[in-house]
Amino acid sequence: MYKKVAFTMYPVQDPQRARAFYGETLGLPPGSQAPNGMWTEYDLPGGGCLALFATSDIKPSADSGGSVALEVDDLDAEIARLKAKGVKFKAEMIHSPVCRMSVILDSEGNSVILHELKKRG
């Protein structure tokens, strides 16, 4: 059911400073981004995506690492399957213009994002 890691996300408190670091200091080419700086993606040439998310709720940390998002074919079916197994959910459904996501907690309390791109057409 899982196809790939959709993106790795890091929380940022100052999106302009973070964009300068990733875009100018590291030289990553920016991909999709929200004009207000809330979301910025850096698609890597060999595959994968690093995403920055501006938030005051989640603090950046050198000790805890980032979040991983796993691409799924059918988010509704995967949510039902994991609920049946007793998996804890941090956020059951998050909608964006291009995708839907759900956040689960692993056995240690780490968050894992389940990601499904919306069908184009």
Side-chain angles (χ1 to χ4, degrees):
M1 175 123 196
Y2 298 107
K3 300 188 291 186
K4 65 177 183 175
V5 173
F7 62 86
T8 299
M9 180 189 79
Y10 286 104
V12 300
Q13 294 181 324
D14 184 331
Q16 301 309 345
R17 181 177 60 208
R19 283 180 173 180
F21 176 79
Y22 285 96
E24 297 168 22
T25 303
L26 295 184
L28 298 179
S32 299
Q33 44 186 291
N36 65 359
M38 177 164 281
W39 185 264
T40 305
E41 293 182 359
Y42 296 92
D43 294 315
L44 305 176
C49 175
L50 172 63
L52 306 178
F53 177 62
T55 177
S56 59
D57 296 335
I58 304 168
K59 303 293 183 219
S61 172
D63 297 325
S64 64
S67 297
V68 65
L70 301 174
E71 190 71 25
V72 299
D73 289 320
D74 183 339
L75 184 58
D76 296 319
E78 188 63 359
I79 288 171
R81 186 181 78 80
L82 295 175
K83 278 187 172 182
K85 291 184 173 269
V87 172
K88 293 180 184 176
F89 283 74
K90 185 173 179 181
E92 190 165 325
M93 188 60 69
I94 302 165
H95 292 274
S96 87
V98 297
C99 67
R100 300 182 318 141
M101 296 175 275
S102 184
V103 182
I104 61 173
L105 298 176
D106 73 7
S107 62
E108 312 311 306
N110 295 304
S111 62
V112 175
I113 300 168
L114 305 176
H115 179 265
E116 177 186 40
L117 287 172
K118 290 182 178 176
K119 309 293 184 242
R120 294 183 186 191

